[in-house]
Amino acid sequence: MKYSILLTALLAGSCFIAKAQEAKPEDTEIWEPIPKVVTPGKTFRDAPSDAIILFDGKGLDKWEQADDDSPAKWDINGDILTVNKKYGNIKTKQSFTNYQLHIEWRVPASITGTGQARGNSGIFLASLGKGDAGYELQVLDSYNNKTYVNGMAGSLYKQVIPLANPGRKPGEWQTYDVVWTAPTFNEDGSMKTPAKATVFFNGVIVENNFELLGPTQYIGKPHYQKHGPAPIKLQAHGDKSEPLSYRNIWIREL
Ligand code: MG
């Protein structure tokens, strides 16, 4: 009995050794599909070769007014786009699902107001209709400006507090680099997988694959409603402070 156990153990052991000897480095090498070649920008700010340029100063042909789809009427000065509060939110003509987005924004040096009424705008990572319907990544002066922390710059509005506050002072350009994963839905309309957002604010990660609870809400709790690809929308906030500016907006679909 003892010998048979020993024999079994020896056989199993030798079998294991034989298998290990058979395994080759090549067994775990994958050669296809070959990733497409992308020429990177000179710096992380510059669009890679496969990016869609949404705004670089050469007009607003990729954008329209969010509420009536008429031509976008915000103000262009050189390569800078400034919110025109009179006309309201603008959105991309194109809809997106999963993507990498780069966008730069600047609160005017002469900004006035406090809290949410100081340099408020926003990037709706997926617009779901008129007004502020969608998933808002907050844009706000968050440099020595106290407000509720789930509504400061870098927050997904009223859903999550940013991991840090790397905000620069008014008058200085700031960057957002966003990875957006759209939610998916079951046939009955219920949410299958939530929307996820990773956000770098001035190169500092402030949202780490955060799973959203639904579209962001000014009042009440968020909840999902089935939707497909959606435009990106920029907010013309109704506060009385001076309007923000944007520049160098590009996107890579994933
Ligand atoms: Mg806002």
Side-chain angles (χ1 to χ4, degrees):
M1 189 64 191
K2 258 187 190 170
Y3 287 111
S4 68
I5 291 168
L6 185 65
L7 194 63
T8 308
L10 278 171
L11 276 170
S14 61
C15 203
F16 177 75
I17 290 162
K19 270 199 179 140
Q21 281 172 342
E22 279 167 28
K24 299 182 195 70
E26 292 80 6
D27 296 344
T28 43
E29 291 174 1
I30 297 170
W31 288 73
E32 281 180 326
I34 298 169
K36 67 175 175 179
V37 173
V38 173
T39 308
K42 267 192 193 140
T43 74
F44 79 94
R45 288 184 54 235
D46 303 307
S49 57
D50 65 342
I52 299 167
I53 308 299
L54 292 177
F55 179 76
D56 62 359
K58 297 187 194 96
L60 275 171
D61 55 306
K62 299 273 176 31
W63 300 81
E64 58 196 6
Q65 290 299 130
D67 286 357
D68 63 7
D69 300 354
S70 66
K73 296 174 191 75
W74 286 11
D75 304 315
I76 301 176
N77 191 346
D79 64 349
I80 297 170
L81 173 66
T82 298
V83 178
N84 190 320
K85 294 190 187 195
K86 190 167 72 182
Y87 295 112
N89 300 343
I90 63 169
K91 66 175 165 59
T92 55
K93 291 177 184 172
Q94 190 174 340
S95 290
F96 302 97
T97 305
N98 304 324
Y99 60 79
Q100 170 188 355
L101 172 73
H102 175 87
I103 186 163
E104 304 181 15
W105 53 275
R106 183 182 64 184
V107 173
S110 53
I111 195 76
T112 55
T114 58
Q116 293 288 311
R118 186 179 169 87
N120 196 331
S121 184
I123 298 149
F124 292 88
L125 301 172
S127 170
L128 299 179
K130 293 184 179 186
D132 290 343
Y135 307 83
E136 184 185 5
L137 168 60
Q138 178 66 303
V139 171
L140 187 76
D141 176 25
S142 291
Y143 186 87
N144 292 334
N145 178 34
K146 197 166 185 180
T147 187
Y148 42 93
V149 291
N150 60 351
M152 62 192 285
S155 69
L156 279 314
Y157 187 70
K158 286 192 172 172
Q159 290 199 26
V160 63
I161 304 165
L163 298 167
N165 179 5
R168 296 197 172 105
K169 61 183 168 205
E172 295 185 14
W173 283 101
Q174 323 219 41
T175 59
Y176 275 160
D177 289 277
V178 182
V179 182
W180 174 253
T181 305
T184 60
F185 296 89
N186 298 303
E187 270 180 29
D188 67 0
S190 60
M191 186 266 285
K192 190 175 177 187
T193 56
K196 298 182 206 79
T198 294
V199 180
F200 290 87
F201 179 9
N202 293 332
V204 176
I205 191 162
V206 292
E207 302 299 348
N208 183 8
N209 203 32
F210 175 73
E211 295 186 352
L212 284 94
L213 305 168
T216 53
Q217 302 282 344
Y218 180 44
I219 299 168
K221 291 237 161 78
H223 58 273
Y224 277 102
Q225 265 189 312
K226 188 175 181 177
H227 66 83
I232 291 166
K233 182 168 65 185
L234 302 180
Q235 187 184 44
H237 192 269
D239 69 68
K240 296 280 182 280
S241 69
E242 272 187 75
L244 275 85
S245 296
Y246 289 95
R247 73 176 182 189
N248 191 23
I249 311 170
W250 51 262
I251 192 167
R252 294 182 62 245
E253 294 184 286
L254 302 175

